[in-house]
Amino acid sequence: MTEKLNEQQQQAVEYKGKHLLVIAGAGTGKTRTIIARAKHLIQQGVPASRILILSFTRKSAREIVERIKSEIGGLSIEGLRGQTFHSWCMDIIMNNPKVFMHHEYTLLDEDDRESCIKLLCGKGLKDKENHAIKPTNVLDVYSYAINARCNLSDAMRMKLYDNASSNDDKVNKSIELNKPIYTEIIKRYLAYKTVHKYMDYDDILNVVAKGLLKNETARKYIANRYDHILVDEMQDTNPLQYELLSSFYETSHLFCVGDDAQSIYAFRGADFKTMHRFTEVVPNSERMDLTINYRSTQEILDLSNWILNQSKLDYKKELSAAKGHGKKPVFITCESEWDEANDVTDKILQSLNVKGYKYEDNMVLSRSLYGLRTVESQCISKHIPYIIFGGTSLMQSKHVRDVVSPMRIVANYKDELAWMRYLLLWKGIGEVTASRIINNVIEEETLDQCLDKLSGQGLQEEITQTLKNISQMQFDPAQAITRTLESMEKRLKELYKEEWNWRKQDFDILKEVAIGTGGIQEFVSEYVLDPKLETTVKQAENGNSDACILTTIHSAKGLEASICYLLKASPASYPTPRAVENGEDAIEEERRCLYVALTRAKDELYIYRNVHSIHVDENSDDPCETLYFFNHTPESLTDKEETFTFRKSGKNAEYNGEVIGTDIIGDFDFE
């Protein structure tokens, strides 16, 4: 049964103008609105093939399309596509070879890019101040400059100096001193990619955006394919993506949905301020707001609204709860992070034993994975199943990249970096030997000829046989993964030793990803095109599908839970001292980060802080104290629990004299 739209959603869905920005507050049904907009267009006679849906992950794009399919009822949706910006641009490149000469280029993943920089710069590269230059430093600067459409100096300021003030003379001097070094490295990197026909993740959008702006004929031809472009998570778009969309202003209708208060990716080049200027930047455009929240109680929204209202920026956002009233958010003060972790896990158990919730109804949020470590320890101690979101994604894991490397060779046997990774996995092969083998086989005319020549190199039989096996499965990537594992598992066990048992579990997820693609070539493209593919990085060993969620705030967008626990919400955490030092923009990003965390909660919200950091002096010279976001929270918005002390008593732990748990991990001083 299709959900009924409220008046605000209905007005947006039936919009008849040219371009529309929908500011959808947290929990106000932005996905519901995008789906309803697509359905409305199709019901009004717009061919589904003339509608494009863009989202920031393949998973969300596919889910939107699948929900439209399930709800549309009888009308044709043939040709309706849901894509990421990168997969869309890759399709444009591949389908227009006369316009974009990059259709034969090999895509580099993140590890490949680092390998390129290491190859070009050698080891031990230092700047003029004798600081080591890491390949990731160079790539971060390059990527930010491309996506934010800024110069090298500004990119260095953001990525190397944490967005330091432009008035910081010391930083300015350092940038000018070291800019020639970064300029030279990036020039080498660009030349290397051109010579070897490589293209990286950032190039994909850049090539299409620039190409369309320069070629009017191509721009009109490609833009005329779409009547409507629906963009999800608009607050996360960067200047490069706006430049790309500008080629479609004239011929298409843009329907962009997002929440400026949830823009927390400035470090990737996202600029939420562009949303505030949308009607100035995009011609013939209007703005509408969604403010009715279907996720949280009004008490949780009152605190979230209050956080935004303290800002100097005008977010023009006051969310109201469709579900009505509930419990106030609770502030809990603790002596230490172990007190905090113990109380969180006790409350998780209480939610099951007393309140009737499931584990999955509980979510613990932290600024970083590091901040979750004590809660994870207590989960293990108390046998609480959990899943962690955040950190290294599945597709960036070393063991996954190892197994995918022979598939990359089969997809493009001239991919030197894939060859190098694959060959170095095998015993007895070093970089010199691998380079010699690559030079001997890579110039052949076909993959079969290449593999035949490889057979004559005197290598272990498994090396060539693995490639021959998967070359016969060009249109069955899931089966290719299975056969690759069969051929390589003995060697992978030797490489990963005791880690192999938990690492190999990831390949079931990888096969699921592969099943959704049409062949090895497409799978490899998706694997490279979606390096931020979200998945769990750790799951409780009992494999229980009902598990509480431990997540970083940046990985929590799109998630929700009945009960949420926000860790370490203390001065020097929100905002951090560095954010205070870097000025208003950085402070506001901290505020939005906190807002995202608060608005994940549906029914109950617990906010933890350290007892040593809550005594804030209004007259303090410490800017972190005076800017602490929860300094003067009205008492009407929250409840407070008394400070408690968590003490060791033999093998048991006591909370206010009551035994609450056993088998506490490690020998800690809880006094």
Side-chain angles (χ1 to χ4, degrees):
M1 191 74 178
T2 302
E3 301 171 26
K4 186 177 180 180
L5 300 176
N6 64 41
E7 186 177 343
Q8 292 175 338
Q9 293 169 333
Q10 192 73 43
Q11 185 180 4
V13 164
E14 296 178 353
Y15 178 70
K16 292 181 170 58
K18 184 67 170 177
H19 306 303
L20 180 66
L21 172 66
V22 180
I23 300 290
T28 57
K30 68 175 180 59
T31 304
R32 168 77 266 146
T33 303
I34 287 179
I35 291 169
R37 173 67 171 176
K39 287 169 53 183
H40 173 74
L41 293 173
I42 294 170
Q43 289 164 349
Q44 294 298 307
V46 177
S49 60
R50 304 283 298 174
I51 301 171
L52 173 67
I53 297 170
L54 295 174
S55 189
F56 276 76
T57 67
R58 288 176 176 271
K59 180 182 178 184
S60 62
R62 286 175 180 144
E63 286 177 350
I64 290 171
V65 171
E66 289 304 314
R67 285 178 59 180
I68 294 169
K69 287 180 180 178
S70 67
E71 294 181 16
I72 198 67
L75 294 176
S76 172
I77 60 167
E78 184 178 353
L80 179 67
R81 290 186 300 165
Q83 295 184 282
T84 64
F85 274 91
H86 288 84
S87 63
W88 174 44
C89 286
M90 197 64 198
D91 278 355
I92 291 174
I93 290 170
M94 299 302 289
N95 293 326
N96 298 276
K98 292 183 179 179
V99 179
F100 303 100
M101 308 308 292
H102 302 76
H103 62 287
E104 294 182 343
Y105 280 37
T106 297
L107 286 173
L108 299 174
D109 63 21
E110 293 303 299
D111 196 53
D112 292 333
R113 299 210 304 169
E114 286 189 37
S115 297
C116 283
I117 300 297
K118 288 177 183 176
L119 180 67
L120 295 170
C121 301
K123 297 179 181 179
L125 182 65
K126 294 186 177 182
D127 64 17
K128 294 290 187 180
E129 296 161 302
N130 206 36
H131 298 137
I133 297 179
K134 299 176 182 178
T136 51
N137 294 150
V138 178
L139 293 171
D140 284 348
V141 169
Y142 169 77
S143 181
Y144 188 85
I146 293 292
N147 287 283
R149 281 296 187 251
C150 68
N151 59 40
L152 185 56
S153 294
D154 288 343
M156 290 176 69
R157 185 184 310 280
M158 169 61 81
K159 304 309 293 185
L160 302 182
Y161 303 95
D162 200 16
N163 199 24
S165 168
S166 58
N167 296 321
D168 190 322
D169 292 336
K170 183 178 178 181
V171 169
N172 291 339
K173 183 177 179 181
S174 184
I175 289 173
E176 287 306 310
L177 194 62
N178 293 305
K179 187 163 63 172
I181 299 175
Y182 279 81
T183 299
E184 178 61 26
I185 297 172
I186 291 172
K187 283 182 177 179
R188 290 185 193 178
Y189 177 59
L190 294 172
Y192 182 85
K193 287 191 295 181
T194 302
V195 170
H196 291 84
K197 293 190 174 181
Y198 284 132
M199 185 165 57
D200 65 27
Y201 190 68
D202 298 308
D203 294 329
I204 298 168
L205 266 61
N206 197 31
V207 163
V208 175
K210 284 185 174 179
L212 292 180
L213 289 176
K214 289 181 178 179
N215 189 327
E216 183 179 358
T217 302
R219 181 171 68 252
K220 289 182 177 179
Y221 173 72
I222 293 171
N224 280 327
R225 296 179 182 179
Y226 310 103
D227 292 330
H228 295 270
I229 299 176
L230 283 55
V231 185
D232 190 16
E233 304 287 7
M234 191 66 183
Q235 76 278 352
D236 294 332
T237 50
N238 56 46
L240 174 57
Q241 288 159 330
Y242 268 91
E243 184 176 294
L244 171 65
L245 289 173
S246 69
S247 289
F248 299 85
Y249 289 167
E250 185 178 343
T251 58
S252 302
H253 296 260
L254 298 185
F255 185 85
C256 305
V257 183
D259 183 2
D260 52 342
Q262 295 189 66
S263 179
I264 56 175
Y265 293 109
F267 62 92
R268 294 182 188 167
D271 182 5
F272 84 100
K273 292 180 181 178
T274 310
M275 290 189 76
H276 290 184
R277 302 194 306 270
F278 186 89
T279 55
E280 302 168 21
V281 173
V282 181
N284 303 314
S285 63
E286 297 180 57
R287 164 183 167 157
M288 294 182 182
D289 294 351
L290 304 183
T291 59
I292 301 174
N293 178 288
Y294 293 92
R295 176 186 298 150
S296 307
T297 61
Q298 189 60 52
E299 283 71 13
I300 292 170
L301 294 181
D302 285 343
L303 180 60
S304 305
N305 290 335
W306 180 85
I307 285 289
L308 288 188
N309 289 338
Q310 306 312 301
S311 171
K312 294 179 181 178
L313 299 178
D314 184 6
Y315 287 98
K316 299 178 181 177
K317 193 181 274 66
E318 193 76 21
L319 300 183
S320 58
K323 66 192 297 183
H325 292 277
K327 296 182 178 180
K328 291 181 182 179
V330 179
F331 276 122
I332 301 175
T333 53
C334 304
E335 287 282 351
S336 72
E337 62 181 288
W338 290 98
D339 294 350
E340 182 180 66
N342 187 66
D343 192 63
V344 167
T345 48
D346 275 355
K347 281 183 167 58
I348 290 172
L349 292 174
Q350 186 184 49
S351 76
L352 276 77
N353 299 329
V354 178
K355 302 177 182 178
Y357 285 105
K358 296 180 179 180
Y359 285 116
E360 63 189 18
D361 294 321
N362 293 269
M363 182 190 299
V364 185
L365 299 113
S366 171
R367 293 294 296 262
S368 65
L369 282 179
Y370 179 79
L372 292 167
R373 75 197 193 290
T374 48
V375 174
E376 183 181 3
S377 294
Q378 290 295 295
C379 284
I380 294 170
S381 173
K382 298 176 184 179
H383 309 291
I384 296 173
Y386 64 92
I387 298 173
I388 296 182
F389 285 85
T392 304
S393 71
L394 173 69
M395 293 306 194
Q396 291 174 296
S397 301
K398 187 173 184 293
H399 56 292
V400 171
R401 300 158 76 83
D402 289 342
V403 170
V404 170
S405 63
M407 299 178 69
R408 289 180 55 184
I409 292 171
V410 169
N412 176 12
Y413 70 93
K414 293 187 179 293
D415 186 343
E416 295 181 35
L417 294 171
W419 271 108
M420 182 63 74
R421 185 178 195 101
Y422 177 63
L423 292 173
L424 290 177
L425 291 173
W426 299 93
K427 190 178 292 185
I429 299 181
E431 291 187 5
V432 174
T433 302
S435 296
R436 175 181 56 79
I437 294 170
I438 294 170
N439 289 334
N440 285 339
V441 303
I442 205 169
E443 296 303 324
E444 296 300 319
E445 295 292 327
T446 66
L447 173 62
D448 288 338
Q449 291 175 3
C450 178
L451 296 183
D452 286 342
K453 193 161 188 179
L454 183 67
S455 299
Q457 301 296 307
L459 306 173
Q460 301 99 302
E461 183 180 350
E462 294 91 339
I463 295 177
T464 304
Q465 195 58 48
T466 299
L467 294 170
K468 286 186 174 180
N469 287 343
I470 58 179
S471 70
Q472 305 303 313
M473 301 170 188
Q474 291 280 5
F475 300 103
D476 192 350
Q479 183 61 21
I481 292 170
T482 299
R483 293 299 297 275
T484 301
L485 284 170
E486 289 173 357
S487 300
M488 297 179 65
E489 185 161 14
K490 180 181 178 182
R491 179 56 183 155
L492 291 170
K493 279 182 179 178
E494 293 174 353
L495 291 171
Y496 289 103
K497 300 180 175 62
E498 66 275 4
E499 293 183 0
W500 178 246
N501 285 334
W502 67 261
R503 285 182 181 267
K504 71 179 181 181
Q505 297 174 18
D506 286 341
F507 293 107
D508 289 334
I509 302 173
L510 193 67
K511 290 174 190 176
E512 289 298 318
V513 175
I515 288 172
T517 61
I520 289 177
Q521 177 71 55
E522 184 180 342
F523 169 75
V524 169
S525 293
E526 291 207 3
Y527 153 68
V528 177
L529 283 174
D530 207 354
K532 301 293 188 296
L533 182 69
E534 291 296 338
T535 186
T536 59
V537 297
K538 189 180 293 185
Q539 183 164 355
E541 291 183 0
N542 63 11
N544 194 337
S545 60
D546 177 23
C548 64
I549 298 169
L550 277 57
T551 180
T552 62
I553 294 173
H554 282 89
S555 295
K557 288 179 65 176
L559 300 178
E560 60 182 35
S562 295
I563 309 174
C564 287
Y565 312 84
L566 176 60
L567 305 181
K568 300 175 183 62
S570 302
S573 291
Y574 298 93
T576 63
R578 181 61 65 89
V580 174
E581 183 181 327
N582 289 343
E584 195 63 39
D585 285 351
I587 292 170
E588 285 305 315
E589 176 123 345
E590 295 280 295
R591 189 188 305 278
R592 294 192 296 273
C593 192
L594 185 58
Y595 177 81
V596 168
L598 299 179
T599 54
R600 300 309 94 197
K602 296 162 71 174
D603 302 314
E604 298 180 38
L605 174 61
Y606 297 94
I607 302 166
Y608 289 83
R609 53 187 178 179
N610 190 290
V611 67
H612 302 295
S613 65
I614 64 172
H615 305 296
V616 179
D617 180 359
E618 285 188 56
N619 299 315
S620 171
D621 291 330
D622 182 353
C624 281
E625 287 192 353
T626 57
L627 281 167
Y628 176 39
F629 294 147
F630 288 132
N631 266 3
H632 309 291
T633 312
E635 291 185 7
S636 61
L637 296 182
T638 60
D639 286 330
K640 291 179 174 62
E641 287 195 2
E642 291 184 5
T643 302
F644 61 83
T645 302
F646 178 32
R647 302 189 304 276
K648 262 182 65 173
S649 177
K651 282 194 172 181
N652 297 330
E654 294 184 28
Y655 171 33
N656 291 349
E658 179 185 355
V659 175
I660 56 171
T662 60
D663 300 322
I664 301 300
I665 294 177
D667 184 19
F668 302 98
D669 181 7
F670 295 105
E671 292 298 334

